[in-house]
Amino acid sequence: MAPETPAGDLRLANLTKTFGAFTAVDDLSLTVPQGSFFALLGASGCGKTTTLRMIAGLEEPTSGQVLLADRDIARLRPYKRPVNTVFQSYALFPHLDIFENVAFGLRRRGIRSVDGQVREMLSLVQLDGYERRRPAQLSGGQQQRVALARALINQPQVLLLDEPLGALDLKLRRQMQIELKRIQTEVGITFVHVTHDQEEAMTMADTVAVMNAGRIEQLGAPAEIYEFPATAFVANFLGQSNLIAGETTGGNGGDLLVTVHGSRFSVPARRSRADQGPVHLGVRPEKLHLVRSADEVPAGSQHLDGTITDASYVGVSTQYLLRTGWGTELSVFAANSGSQQRFAPGDRAVAYWDPGHAFLLGRHADEDDRTTGILDEPVGTSS
C-alpha cells in the first residue's frame, strides 16, 4: 500500500513550543527517515506528546518547522496534512460497526466503493469476520487494531501513535508490540511512536530518541543507546545502571584509568564520554557477576567486594543488592539458568565485570554514586 502523494523524510527543524514562561519543546531538530519505525521515549512532562501534537497539527509551534518531503506543513490544518494519529483511547464511534468505523475516512472523502479497501485493512490487522460487530463487543486489543486500520486506510505518509498500548494489560501489550512492528514492516509507512515504556520503544523501533526537558538527550538504535548511553539520565531511563563516582587518572594504551574510592579501574577509551576530571563509571546490572571470593574472578576482569543486602527472585533472574565498603548498593541481575551460585542477605560476595562492558560518563564534582533506575510512570499518563 503506497501513499497517494510522494513521501519523504519527516524533519523537525528548531521546533519550539512554549506555554507562557514554560518551554515544553526546546529548539528540537531531528530527522525521521521515510519508512522507519521511530520512537520518542521519555517521562511525563518531557515534551514528547507536545511534539507529536505539533506534527499532527493539534498544537501550533511557537517557532520552527515541521517538514515532510521538504514541505513545511507546520501551519497546515490537521485535515490537510498527510498524517493520521492513533490514540491510547481508541476514539472509535460506538454507534457504528467495525466496517463503518474503518470506512469512515474514505466515506468522508466521498469515496463510494470502500468494500475492498476495508476488508484489506481488517485482514491486515487480523480482524477478518468482525465487520458487523460494534466496538463494545471487542476486547481492548481488538479495538486498538480497529483504530489502527481506520488510520491506515487513509494511506497517510506518517502514522503517529500516542501511547497506543497504554490501556492494555501486560500480556496483550507485548502481543501488540509484535503486531505493530509486523504491520509497519508490511505497509512501509513511517511510524512515529510516543511512549514512556522503555521495553516498548526498544522492541519496536528502528531508532529511539530519548527526550528530557524538551530536548533530545540521545538518538540512535536501541542497542546502541542501551549499551553506550550518552548521559546519566539515559543510562538510568533506558533500563538501569550502576553509576559509580570516580576520577580519571590518565590513560594506558587504549584505556582510561579511573580511581573509585581508592580502587583503580580501566575503561576502553572508545566507551568513554569523558576523558578527564570527575566521571561516573557505569556498569549495567546484568553485566555484573557474583562469586564468593576474588580467587574466582576470571583473569582480565575487574571487581568490587561487599555484602548482599537483598535478593529478589523475579523468574528469569534474581536481582541482588551488593553493599560496597563505602556504603553504596550495586544492583546485580543474575540469570536463573541453574548454573549460578545462590546468595542470601548477609553473605559476603564479589561482583566482577568485563571492562569492555563498562562505560564512562561525565560527572559534576558534587554528584555521588547513582545506582537506581528511574521508575516507569503510571500507565495512562502523557506529556
Side-chain angles (χ1 to χ4, degrees):
M1 181 180 69
E4 295 173 349
T5 54
D9 294 347
L10 170 67
R11 291 194 299 116
L12 310 183
N14 307 111
L15 199 63
T16 298
K17 180 63 181 181
T18 59
F19 297 95
F22 174 69
T23 301
V25 178
D26 189 5
D27 197 32
L28 181 65
S29 294
L30 61 84
T31 297
V32 180
Q34 177 185 341
S36 67
F37 200 129
F38 189 95
L40 278 174
L41 173 68
S44 179
C46 73
K48 60 187 186 296
T49 296
T50 301
T51 301
L52 197 80
R53 289 175 61 83
M54 285 191 284
I55 298 171
L58 303 175
E59 203 75 65
E60 185 174 345
T62 303
S63 61
Q65 296 176 297
V66 178
L67 298 154
L68 190 54
D70 293 324
R71 176 193 179 198
D72 189 0
I73 62 171
R75 300 301 182 267
L76 290 181
R77 293 186 179 276
Y79 66 87
K80 290 188 175 182
R81 303 185 185 202
V83 172
N84 271 93
T85 307
V86 176
F87 299 98
Q88 178 180 324
S89 62
Y90 317 139
L92 300 178
F93 300 113
H95 62 289
L96 298 179
D97 62 24
I98 301 313
F99 184 98
E100 290 302 329
N101 263 281
V102 176
F104 180 81
L106 298 182
R107 296 201 189 284
R108 193 175 183 183
R109 285 155 50 196
I111 298 173
R112 293 179 179 274
S113 180
V114 302
D115 189 79
Q117 292 183 68
V118 171
R119 294 187 188 281
E120 179 187 352
M121 281 297 106
L122 289 176
S123 178
L124 177 69
V125 299
Q126 299 182 345
L127 285 176
D128 304 88
Y130 286 78
E131 292 87 349
R132 296 309 166 195
R133 297 194 189 185
R134 296 290 178 90
Q137 295 175 292
L138 304 185
S139 68
Q142 289 169 332
Q143 290 184 53
Q144 191 59 277
R145 290 169 191 245
V146 175
L148 189 62
R150 186 178 61 183
L152 288 173
I153 203 169
N154 295 317
Q155 300 186 357
Q157 291 182 29
V158 179
L159 184 69
L160 306 175
L161 301 125
D162 187 8
E163 302 273 9
L165 310 182
L168 306 180
D169 62 53
L170 179 61
K171 183 177 180 180
L172 187 54
R173 192 158 68 241
R174 287 177 173 165
Q175 291 173 351
M176 282 300 297
Q177 290 169 8
I178 296 169
E179 280 301 296
L180 273 175
K181 182 59 180 174
R182 175 189 66 80
I183 291 167
Q184 191 275 332
T185 301
E186 190 166 332
V187 299
I189 289 173
T190 305
F191 278 27
V192 179
H193 182 202
V194 158
T195 182
H196 68 273
D197 187 311
Q198 302 99 331
E199 180 187 296
E200 210 170 90
M202 294 181 72
T203 298
M204 296 189 291
D206 306 313
T207 305
V208 176
V210 182
M211 287 192 71
N212 182 31
R215 291 178 173 269
I216 301 295
E217 289 260 337
Q218 188 173 359
L219 185 150
E224 171 194 334
I225 295 177
Y226 185 84
E227 294 293 341
F228 190 24
T231 66
F233 176 86
V234 173
N236 268 334
F237 190 82
L238 199 69
Q240 184 176 329
S241 294
N242 297 297
L243 300 180
I244 309 167
E247 299 280 338
T248 53
T249 56
N252 180 20
D255 295 336
L256 286 174
L257 303 179
V258 183
T259 299
V260 174
H261 297 278
S263 298
R264 297 193 70 184
F265 302 95
S266 63
V267 177
R270 60 184 171 77
R271 292 187 55 80
S272 303
R273 301 286 185 182
D275 58 8
Q276 59 184 352
V279 291
H280 273 129
L281 170 63
V283 188
R284 295 283 188 183
E286 71 276 9
K287 305 296 188 185
L288 293 174
H289 308 277
L290 289 177
V291 291
R292 298 285 174 184
S293 71
D295 295 337
E296 300 175 68
V297 174
S301 297
Q302 299 178 351
H303 67 275
L304 288 167
D305 60 12
T307 302
I308 300 294
T309 59
D310 187 71
S312 300
Y313 181 86
V314 293
V316 296
S317 67
T318 298
Q319 301 185 1
Y320 295 101
L321 290 180
L322 178 78
R323 186 182 295 277
T324 63
W326 63 88
T328 291
E329 289 186 325
L330 303 181
S331 292
V332 182
F333 297 168
N336 290 326
S337 62
S339 62
Q340 302 293 323
Q341 298 185 57
R342 307 284 296 182
F343 296 85
D347 288 351
R348 295 289 297 175
V350 175
Y352 71 87
W353 65 92
D354 181 334
H357 292 155
F359 54 87
L360 280 187
L361 302 176
R363 173 178 68 88
H364 294 300
D366 57 350
E367 282 187 302
D368 296 323
D369 300 338
R370 301 169 68 175
T371 58
T372 55
I374 297 173
L375 296 176
D376 286 348
E377 65 196 76
V379 170
T381 57
S382 61
S383 60

mmCIF file of all heavy atoms in Angstrom, residues 230-232 243-248 258-261 273-282 360-370:
data_model
loop_
_atom_site.group_PDB
_atom_site.id
_atom_site.type_symbol
_atom_site.label_atom_id
_atom_site.label_comp_id
_atom_site.label_asym_id
_atom_site.label_seq_id
_atom_site.Cartn_x
_atom_site.Cartn_y
_atom_site.Cartn_z
ATOM 1 N N ALA A 230 24.644 8.132 26.484
ATOM 2 C CA ALA A 230 25.395 9.386 26.378
ATOM 3 C C ALA A 230 25.408 10.177 27.672
ATOM 4 O O ALA A 230 26.317 10.976 27.909
ATOM 5 C CB ALA A 230 24.813 10.246 25.258
ATOM 6 N N THR A 231 24.379 9.995 28.510
ATOM 7 C CA THR A 231 24.264 10.767 29.747
ATOM 8 C C THR A 231 23.773 9.870 30.872
ATOM 9 O O THR A 231 23.245 8.775 30.646
ATOM 10 C CB THR A 231 23.267 11.934 29.594
ATOM 11 O OG1 THR A 231 21.946 11.389 29.400
ATOM 12 C CG2 THR A 231 23.623 12.841 28.418
ATOM 13 N N ALA A 232 23.906 10.363 32.100
ATOM 14 C CA ALA A 232 23.408 9.620 33.256
ATOM 15 C C ALA A 232 21.899 9.447 33.181
ATOM 16 O O ALA A 232 21.354 8.409 33.584
ATOM 17 C CB ALA A 232 23.804 10.336 34.545
ATOM 18 N N LEU A 243 26.002 3.574 38.460
ATOM 19 C CA LEU A 243 26.895 4.684 38.129
ATOM 20 C C LEU A 243 27.701 5.031 39.372
ATOM 21 O O LEU A 243 27.164 5.536 40.354
ATOM 22 C CB LEU A 243 26.087 5.889 37.651
ATOM 23 C CG LEU A 243 25.216 5.679 36.403
ATOM 24 C CD1 LEU A 243 24.476 6.955 36.042
ATOM 25 C CD2 LEU A 243 26.046 5.199 35.217
ATOM 26 N N ILE A 244 28.997 4.753 39.322
ATOM 27 C CA ILE A 244 29.864 4.874 40.491
ATOM 28 C C ILE A 244 30.769 6.087 40.313
ATOM 29 O O ILE A 244 31.475 6.208 39.303
ATOM 30 C CB ILE A 244 30.712 3.602 40.676
ATOM 31 C CG1 ILE A 244 29.809 2.358 40.652
ATOM 32 C CG2 ILE A 244 31.482 3.650 41.976
ATOM 33 C CD1 ILE A 244 30.574 1.054 40.511
ATOM 34 N N ALA A 245 30.751 6.995 41.277
ATOM 35 C CA ALA A 245 31.533 8.233 41.188
ATOM 36 C C ALA A 245 33.027 7.933 41.266
ATOM 37 O O ALA A 245 33.493 7.175 42.127
ATOM 38 C CB ALA A 245 31.131 9.179 42.313
ATOM 39 N N GLY A 246 33.772 8.527 40.333
ATOM 40 C CA GLY A 246 35.218 8.337 40.321
ATOM 41 C C GLY A 246 35.924 9.523 39.700
ATOM 42 O O GLY A 246 35.296 10.534 39.350
ATOM 43 N N GLU A 247 37.253 9.402 39.539
ATOM 44 C CA GLU A 247 38.081 10.439 38.928
ATOM 45 C C GLU A 247 38.999 9.790 37.912
ATOM 46 O O GLU A 247 39.596 8.739 38.184
ATOM 47 C CB GLU A 247 38.928 11.158 39.983
ATOM 48 C CG GLU A 247 38.146 11.876 41.068
ATOM 49 C CD GLU A 247 37.611 13.225 40.609
ATOM 50 O OE1 GLU A 247 38.174 13.774 39.639
ATOM 51 O OE2 GLU A 247 36.657 13.715 41.241
ATOM 52 N N THR A 248 39.131 10.388 36.741
ATOM 53 C CA THR A 248 40.080 9.876 35.763
ATOM 54 C C THR A 248 41.495 10.224 36.208
ATOM 55 O O THR A 248 41.753 11.308 36.747
ATOM 56 C CB THR A 248 39.822 10.464 34.368
ATOM 57 O OG1 THR A 248 39.777 11.890 34.456
ATOM 58 C CG2 THR A 248 38.519 9.953 33.797
ATOM 59 N N VAL A 258 40.673 4.995 35.982
ATOM 60 C CA VAL A 258 39.716 5.662 36.866
ATOM 61 C C VAL A 258 39.951 5.196 38.298
ATOM 62 O O VAL A 258 40.103 3.992 38.556
ATOM 63 C CB VAL A 258 38.254 5.331 36.468
ATOM 64 C CG1 VAL A 258 37.274 6.089 37.345
ATOM 65 C CG2 VAL A 258 38.009 5.641 35.003
ATOM 66 N N THR A 259 39.971 6.140 39.213
ATOM 67 C CA THR A 259 40.057 5.816 40.640
ATOM 68 C C THR A 259 38.679 5.947 41.263
ATOM 69 O O THR A 259 38.022 6.979 41.129
ATOM 70 C CB THR A 259 41.044 6.747 41.368
ATOM 71 O OG1 THR A 259 42.346 6.581 40.802
ATOM 72 C CG2 THR A 259 41.103 6.426 42.852
ATOM 73 N N VAL A 260 38.233 4.889 41.932
ATOM 74 C CA VAL A 260 36.921 4.845 42.576
ATOM 75 C C VAL A 260 37.114 4.440 44.032
ATOM 76 O O VAL A 260 37.474 3.300 44.329
ATOM 77 C CB VAL A 260 35.988 3.837 41.874
ATOM 78 C CG1 VAL A 260 34.684 3.692 42.645
ATOM 79 C CG2 VAL A 260 35.713 4.252 40.441
ATOM 80 N N HIS A 261 36.917 5.384 44.947
ATOM 81 C CA HIS A 261 37.007 5.102 46.384
ATOM 82 C C HIS A 261 38.263 4.302 46.727
ATOM 83 O O HIS A 261 38.219 3.309 47.456
ATOM 84 C CB HIS A 261 35.758 4.358 46.862
ATOM 85 C CG HIS A 261 34.501 5.163 46.709
ATOM 86 N ND1 HIS A 261 34.119 6.116 47.627
ATOM 87 C CD2 HIS A 261 33.557 5.158 45.737
ATOM 88 C CE1 HIS A 261 32.972 6.676 47.231
ATOM 89 N NE2 HIS A 261 32.622 6.119 46.080
ATOM 90 N N ARG A 273 32.620 8.727 27.472
ATOM 91 C CA ARG A 273 32.050 10.020 27.074
ATOM 92 C C ARG A 273 32.828 11.181 27.690
ATOM 93 O O ARG A 273 32.576 12.339 27.345
ATOM 94 C CB ARG A 273 30.590 10.103 27.532
ATOM 95 C CG ARG A 273 29.680 9.017 26.965
ATOM 96 C CD ARG A 273 29.358 9.253 25.516
ATOM 97 N NE ARG A 273 28.400 8.272 25.009
ATOM 98 C CZ ARG A 273 27.963 8.218 23.762
ATOM 99 N NH1 ARG A 273 28.401 9.102 22.879
ATOM 100 N NH2 ARG A 273 27.106 7.297 23.374
ATOM 101 N N ALA A 274 33.714 10.902 28.628
ATOM 102 C CA ALA A 274 34.544 11.926 29.264
ATOM 103 C C ALA A 274 35.924 11.328 29.483
ATOM 104 O O ALA A 274 36.058 10.138 29.768
ATOM 105 C CB ALA A 274 33.938 12.358 30.601
ATOM 106 N N ASP A 275 36.964 12.142 29.327
ATOM 107 C CA ASP A 275 38.318 11.599 29.456
ATOM 108 C C ASP A 275 39.169 12.315 30.493
ATOM 109 O O ASP A 275 40.372 12.065 30.603
ATOM 110 C CB ASP A 275 39.032 11.620 28.105
ATOM 111 C CG ASP A 275 39.117 13.027 27.503
ATOM 112 O OD1 ASP A 275 38.754 14.001 28.205
ATOM 113 O OD2 ASP A 275 39.536 13.144 26.331
ATOM 114 N N GLN A 276 38.528 13.185 31.277
ATOM 115 C CA GLN A 276 39.274 13.835 32.349
ATOM 116 C C GLN A 276 38.330 14.330 33.427
ATOM 117 O O GLN A 276 37.131 14.534 33.190
ATOM 118 C CB GLN A 276 40.102 15.000 31.814
ATOM 119 C CG GLN A 276 39.289 16.083 31.120
ATOM 120 C CD GLN A 276 40.177 17.163 30.515
ATOM 121 O OE1 GLN A 276 41.388 17.173 30.744
ATOM 122 N NE2 GLN A 276 39.588 18.069 29.749
ATOM 123 N N GLY A 277 38.870 14.498 34.637
ATOM 124 C CA GLY A 277 38.089 15.032 35.748
ATOM 125 C C GLY A 277 37.101 14.035 36.342
ATOM 126 O O GLY A 277 37.253 12.820 36.190
ATOM 127 N N PRO A 278 36.044 14.543 36.999
ATOM 128 C CA PRO A 278 35.056 13.667 37.634
ATOM 129 C C PRO A 278 34.257 12.877 36.597
ATOM 130 O O PRO A 278 33.841 13.422 35.574
ATOM 131 C CB PRO A 278 34.141 14.652 38.384
ATOM 132 C CG PRO A 278 34.903 15.936 38.460
ATOM 133 C CD PRO A 278 35.763 15.971 37.246
ATOM 134 N N VAL A 279 34.055 11.596 36.863
ATOM 135 C CA VAL A 279 33.316 10.735 35.948
ATOM 136 C C VAL A 279 32.415 9.792 36.738
ATOM 137 O O VAL A 279 32.550 9.634 37.947
ATOM 138 C CB VAL A 279 34.265 9.890 35.059
ATOM 139 C CG1 VAL A 279 35.001 10.748 34.064
ATOM 140 C CG2 VAL A 279 35.220 9.071 35.921
ATOM 141 N N HIS A 280 31.473 9.207 36.035
ATOM 142 C CA HIS A 280 30.728 8.070 36.549
ATOM 143 C C HIS A 280 31.218 6.832 35.808
ATOM 144 O O HIS A 280 31.183 6.786 34.572
ATOM 145 C CB HIS A 280 29.219 8.226 36.310
ATOM 146 C CG HIS A 280 28.522 8.977 37.392
ATOM 147 N ND1 HIS A 280 27.687 10.053 37.130
ATOM 148 C CD2 HIS A 280 28.497 8.806 38.742
ATOM 149 C CE1 HIS A 280 27.193 10.511 38.259
ATOM 150 N NE2 HIS A 280 27.675 9.778 39.253
ATOM 151 N N LEU A 281 31.657 5.825 36.533
ATOM 152 C CA LEU A 281 31.950 4.522 35.962
ATOM 153 C C LEU A 281 30.638 3.747 35.939
ATOM 154 O O LEU A 281 30.034 3.494 36.984
ATOM 155 C CB LEU A 281 32.992 3.791 36.816
ATOM 156 C CG LEU A 281 33.234 2.313 36.500
ATOM 157 C CD1 LEU A 281 33.780 2.149 35.089
ATOM 158 C CD2 LEU A 281 34.189 1.696 37.513
ATOM 159 N N GLY A 282 30.176 3.392 34.746
ATOM 160 C CA GLY A 282 28.872 2.750 34.611
ATOM 161 C C GLY A 282 28.981 1.286 34.229
ATOM 162 O O GLY A 282 29.784 0.923 33.362
ATOM 163 N N LEU A 360 32.075 5.174 30.610
ATOM 164 C CA LEU A 360 32.355 6.368 31.417
ATOM 165 C C LEU A 360 31.495 7.523 30.966
ATOM 166 O O LEU A 360 31.359 7.772 29.766
ATOM 167 C CB LEU A 360 33.823 6.795 31.294
ATOM 168 C CG LEU A 360 34.890 6.068 32.110
ATOM 169 C CD1 LEU A 360 36.225 6.781 31.959
ATOM 170 C CD2 LEU A 360 34.505 5.962 33.573
ATOM 171 N N LEU A 361 30.907 8.228 31.933
ATOM 172 C CA LEU A 361 30.126 9.430 31.671
ATOM 173 C C LEU A 361 30.715 10.588 32.472
ATOM 174 O O LEU A 361 31.280 10.384 33.545
ATOM 175 C CB LEU A 361 28.666 9.223 32.096
ATOM 176 C CG LEU A 361 27.911 8.065 31.452
ATOM 177 C CD1 LEU A 361 26.519 7.955 32.062
ATOM 178 C CD2 LEU A 361 27.812 8.252 29.945
ATOM 179 N N GLY A 362 30.552 11.802 31.951
ATOM 180 C CA GLY A 362 30.964 12.965 32.709
ATOM 181 C C GLY A 362 30.127 13.114 33.974
ATOM 182 O O GLY A 362 28.972 12.678 34.037
ATOM 183 N N ARG A 363 30.716 13.707 35.008
ATOM 184 C CA ARG A 363 30.032 13.862 36.305
ATOM 185 C C ARG A 363 30.331 15.231 36.878
ATOM 186 O O ARG A 363 31.471 15.705 36.815
ATOM 187 C CB ARG A 363 30.519 12.768 37.264
ATOM 188 C CG ARG A 363 30.018 12.890 38.699
ATOM 189 C CD ARG A 363 30.524 11.734 39.563
ATOM 190 N NE ARG A 363 31.957 11.778 39.781
ATOM 191 C CZ ARG A 363 32.567 12.435 40.769
ATOM 192 N NH1 ARG A 363 31.855 13.134 41.638
ATOM 193 N NH2 ARG A 363 33.889 12.406 40.886
ATOM 194 N N HIS A 364 29.292 15.878 37.434
ATOM 195 C CA HIS A 364 29.541 17.093 38.196
ATOM 196 C C HIS A 364 30.274 16.721 39.478
ATOM 197 O O HIS A 364 30.024 15.670 40.071
ATOM 198 C CB HIS A 364 28.227 17.796 38.535
ATOM 199 C CG HIS A 364 27.504 18.317 37.323
ATOM 200 N ND1 HIS A 364 28.062 19.240 36.461
ATOM 201 C CD2 HIS A 364 26.273 18.029 36.819
ATOM 202 C CE1 HIS A 364 27.215 19.508 35.485
ATOM 203 N NE2 HIS A 364 26.115 18.785 35.674
ATOM 204 N N ALA A 365 31.157 17.586 39.892
ATOM 205 C CA ALA A 365 32.025 17.265 41.018
ATOM 206 C C ALA A 365 31.257 16.928 42.294
ATOM 207 O O ALA A 365 31.742 16.186 43.145
ATOM 208 C CB ALA A 365 32.990 18.424 41.280
ATOM 209 N N ASP A 366 30.026 17.457 42.443
ATOM 210 C CA ASP A 366 29.276 17.217 43.678
ATOM 211 C C ASP A 366 28.300 16.041 43.571
ATOM 212 O O ASP A 366 27.542 15.766 44.483
ATOM 213 C CB ASP A 366 28.503 18.475 44.091
ATOM 214 C CG ASP A 366 27.548 18.963 42.999
ATOM 215 O OD1 ASP A 366 27.627 18.435 41.868
ATOM 216 O OD2 ASP A 366 26.741 19.872 43.281
ATOM 217 N N GLU A 367 28.309 15.311 42.419
ATOM 218 C CA GLU A 367 27.413 14.168 42.264
ATOM 219 C C GLU A 367 28.009 12.923 42.904
ATOM 220 O O GLU A 367 29.208 12.647 42.785
ATOM 221 C CB GLU A 367 27.163 13.886 40.777
ATOM 222 C CG GLU A 367 26.164 14.811 40.131
ATOM 223 C CD GLU A 367 25.844 14.351 38.722
ATOM 224 O OE1 GLU A 367 26.769 14.247 37.911
ATOM 225 O OE2 GLU A 367 24.663 14.118 38.441
ATOM 226 N N ASP A 368 27.156 12.149 43.564
ATOM 227 C CA ASP A 368 27.586 10.900 44.185
ATOM 228 C C ASP A 368 27.247 9.728 43.265
ATOM 229 O O ASP A 368 26.807 9.897 42.135
ATOM 230 C CB ASP A 368 26.896 10.721 45.544
ATOM 231 C CG ASP A 368 27.310 11.800 46.535
ATOM 232 O OD1 ASP A 368 28.495 12.193 46.511
ATOM 233 O OD2 ASP A 368 26.447 12.247 47.312
ATOM 234 N N ASP A 369 27.404 8.502 43.800
ATOM 235 C CA ASP A 369 27.021 7.302 43.070
ATOM 236 C C ASP A 369 25.536 7.331 42.764
ATOM 237 O O ASP A 369 24.733 7.822 43.568
ATOM 238 C CB ASP A 369 27.329 6.049 43.905
ATOM 239 C CG ASP A 369 28.804 5.921 44.245
ATOM 240 O OD1 ASP A 369 29.625 6.513 43.544
ATOM 241 O OD2 ASP A 369 29.120 5.229 45.230
ATOM 242 N N ARG A 370 25.174 6.791 41.614
ATOM 243 C CA ARG A 370 23.758 6.720 41.214
ATOM 244 C C ARG A 370 23.509 5.312 40.724
ATOM 245 O O ARG A 370 23.967 4.927 39.654
ATOM 246 C CB ARG A 370 23.459 7.747 40.125
ATOM 247 C CG ARG A 370 23.763 9.164 40.575
ATOM 248 C CD ARG A 370 23.734 10.143 39.428
ATOM 249 N NE ARG A 370 22.402 10.307 38.899
ATOM 250 C CZ ARG A 370 22.095 11.192 37.944
ATOM 251 N NH1 ARG A 370 23.041 11.950 37.431
ATOM 252 N NH2 ARG A 370 20.853 11.300 37.508
#
